[in-house]
């Protein structure tokens, strides 16, 4: 089971020392598994980062990034490799980037309908959502609740004596902008500001991603962090549901569970910019990475060696005793779990500029 907590940066997690209790589920898993203390994503947004996760190759190699928004079939995906080794393959996500049309679901025999049922992150752009949202008549998430419910239903329905092992991928996009699109118990977890004020700030900061003016950092940073942290908490609640479903079935301790993020988020620290994608700073690429697998991974292990999340592909195959394809650019991180030396490969993050993703840095007057 591979879980991506979309848009969650490591620095905002209590598991990594953050002051707020944002990650109780991840905190608990870290006591039972191995936590990588310095993990770096290969890119700053969903398409290239997931394509790298699924191929074990950097964006400049697999080609799915801002200049070419499609993952072609030159390299085998993790799902394809596991499927060829007898695994049933399932994808649960409401993230619109992870779709057949963009090539990211190659190798999954089954994909749920969470995106179609809930609208996912893209629902924020629909007229009816914007109208109800402006009127304060809508309380919803970005599809994570549907994803979790459908995973729970799948776990419950799976035969006790299933003939084949399963590979399941889940993505929870709840920390992604617009920051205010959360169940209210999480939206107001760290703030008492009025809903209208939070919504206006959230919409302005989302607009900055697409060329808008945004908000002054002194005005926006506090409420943005409050909302973002609420999204991190909600993503953790959904992760807890995944863990609870496996535990209730009695298979958790026989399941290789990997929890990570595809990229981080900048919350005003860099030139007043909020979001991710067009700027390549540590806040955008420093991500959580945790592996829990009692048969092979010691509980409470801490890996200080810097790693790339590109190594997750090889690590999963290594822990399952499967041969990796020769196409991987980063090797297994598994030796590090036992304190052994390893040279898994380079740690790189790449940003490819495109028409919809103009690069920004602290010297950019747009910021």
């Amino acid at each position: 089971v591979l879980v991506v907590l979309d848009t969650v940066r490591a620095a905002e997690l209590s598991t990594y020392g953050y002051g707020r209790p944002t990650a109780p589920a991840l905190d608990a898993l870290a006591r039972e598994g191995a936590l990588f203390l310095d993990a770096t994503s290969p890119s700053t947004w969903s398409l290239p980062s997931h394509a790298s996760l699924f191929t074990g190759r950097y964006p400049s190699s697999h080609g799915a990034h801002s200049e070419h928004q499609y993952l072609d079939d030159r390299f085998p995906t993790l799902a394809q490799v596991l499927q060829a080794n007898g695994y049933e393959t399932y994808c649960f996500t409401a993230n619109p980037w992870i779709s057949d049309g963009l090539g990211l679901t190659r190798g999954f025999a089954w994909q749920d309908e969470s995106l179609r049922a809930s609208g996912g992150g893209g629902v924020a752009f629909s007229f009816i959502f914007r109208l109800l949202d402006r009127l304060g008549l809508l309380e919803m998430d970005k599809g994570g609740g549907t994803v979790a419910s459908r995973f729970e239903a799948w776990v419950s329905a799976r035969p006790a004596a299933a003939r084949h092992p399963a590979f399941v991928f889940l993505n929870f996009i709840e920390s992604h902008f617009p920051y205010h699109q959360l169940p209210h118990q999480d939206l107001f977890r760290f703030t008492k500001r009025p809903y209208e004020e939070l919504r206006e700030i959230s919409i302005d900061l989302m607009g900055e991603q697409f060329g808008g003016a945004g908000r002054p950092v002194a005005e926006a940073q506090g409420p943005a962090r409050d909302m973002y942290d609420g999204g991190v908490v909600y993503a953790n609640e959904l992760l807890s549901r995944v863990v609870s479903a496996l535990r209730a079935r009695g298979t958790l301790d026989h399941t290789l569970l990997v929890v990570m993020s595809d990229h981080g988020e900048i919350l005003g620290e860099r030139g007043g910019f909020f979001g991710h994608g067009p700027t390549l700073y540590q806040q955008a690429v420093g991500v959580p990475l945790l592996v829990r697998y009692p048969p092979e991974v010691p509980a409470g292990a801490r890996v200080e060696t810097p790693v790339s999340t590109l190594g997750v592909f090889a690590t999963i195959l290594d822990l399952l005793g499967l041969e990796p394809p020769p196409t991987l650019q980063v090797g297994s991180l598994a030796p590090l779990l036992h304190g052994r030396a390893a040279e898994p490969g380079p740690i790189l993050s790449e940003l490819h500029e495109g028409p919809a993703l103009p690069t920004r840095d602290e010297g950019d007057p747009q910021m």
Side-chain angles (χ1 to χ4, degrees):
V1 176
L2 173 57
V3 182
V4 169
L5 304 178
D6 205 292
T7 321
V8 171
R9 68 186 201 181
E12 216 76 5
L13 293 165
S14 49
T15 321
Y16 286 82
Y18 185 51
R20 284 175 168 173
T22 52
L26 200 64
D27 295 347
L29 290 174
R31 293 190 290 270
E32 302 169 354
L35 185 70
F36 289 83
L37 301 180
D38 189 356
T40 298
S41 169
S43 191
T44 62
W45 62 292
S46 284
L47 175 63
S49 291
H50 280 89
S52 289
L53 173 64
F54 292 160
T55 63
R57 300 187 70 86
Y58 286 99
S60 54
S61 174
H62 62 61
H65 46 66
S66 295
E67 298 173 7
H68 178 255
Q69 296 184 9
Y70 180 77
L71 179 65
D72 60 34
D73 60 0
R74 288 175 296 153
F75 306 109
T77 66
L78 176 60
Q80 286 177 312
V81 171
L82 289 171
Q83 189 176 53
N85 281 275
Y87 281 72
E88 300 172 4
T89 53
Y90 300 87
C91 179
F92 295 84
T93 177
N95 184 334
W97 286 108
I98 305 168
S99 66
D100 295 340
L102 298 173
L104 286 183
T105 55
R106 188 176 297 112
F108 288 106
W110 183 88
Q111 182 175 3
D112 79 328
E113 295 291 323
S114 293
L115 175 60
R116 186 174 300 173
S118 66
V123 72
F125 297 95
S126 69
F127 170 76
I128 190 62
F129 170 85
R130 288 185 284 118
L131 175 61
L132 294 174
D133 190 35
R134 181 176 292 277
L135 295 174
L137 301 176
L138 192 65
E139 178 184 350
M140 63 182 299
D141 65 5
K142 303 178 183 75
T146 302
V147 171
S149 294
R150 296 194 170 187
F151 174 77
E152 290 166 335
W154 174 81
V155 170
S156 297
R158 184 166 169 79
R163 295 180 57 192
H164 302 285
F167 166 53
V168 180
F169 169 78
L170 301 100
N171 174 288
F172 293 118
I173 196 171
E174 306 311 314
S175 300
H176 199 284
F177 62 72
Y179 299 136
H180 74 289
Q181 191 180 339
L182 293 169
H184 284 184
Q185 66 177 13
D186 296 300
L187 175 62
F188 296 107
R189 186 174 296 272
F190 300 112
T191 182
K192 295 182 179 179
R193 293 173 185 265
Y195 178 81
E196 287 187 2
E197 180 183 352
L198 294 175
R199 178 193 173 278
E200 289 180 6
I201 293 172
S202 171
I203 294 298
D204 286 350
L205 296 182
M206 183 176 73
E208 185 179 16
Q209 293 276 307
F210 306 99
R215 289 283 187 106
V217 63
E219 174 185 329
Q221 191 168 41
R225 172 167 270 116
D226 292 340
M227 289 186 281
Y228 177 78
D229 287 355
V232 174
V233 172
Y234 182 48
N236 252 260
E237 293 169 353
L238 298 173
L239 171 62
S240 180
R241 289 174 60 180
V242 171
V243 174
S244 295
L246 294 170
R247 197 185 302 276
R249 181 180 169 83
T251 56
L252 178 61
D253 287 344
H254 307 288
T255 298
L256 169 55
L257 175 65
V258 179
V259 184
M260 56 179 290
S261 183
D262 55 340
H263 57 77
E265 186 81 336
I266 296 173
L267 296 172
E269 301 96 345
R270 298 294 183 175
F273 177 74
F274 292 83
H276 59 271
T279 182
L280 193 61
Y281 290 112
Q282 179 63 23
Q283 291 88 352
V285 296
V287 295
L289 176 59
L290 178 141
V291 179
R292 185 192 189 278
Y293 190 41
E296 297 288 340
V297 178
R302 297 293 180 269
V303 178
E304 297 184 1
T305 303
V307 300
S308 169
T309 57
L310 215 65
V312 167
F313 191 140
T315 304
I316 288 175
L317 296 184
D318 191 357
L319 292 172
L320 296 178
L322 301 175
E323 190 70 23
T327 55
L328 304 185
Q329 291 183 307
V330 169
S332 173
L333 310 178
L336 298 172
L337 301 174
H338 299 277
R340 298 195 298 268
E343 295 182 6
I347 301 170
L348 304 172
S349 294
E350 299 179 357
L351 177 60
H352 296 77
E353 186 169 0
L357 195 67
T359 303
R360 300 186 179 204
D361 60 38
E362 290 187 44
D364 190 334
Q366 295 183 66
M367 298 183 66

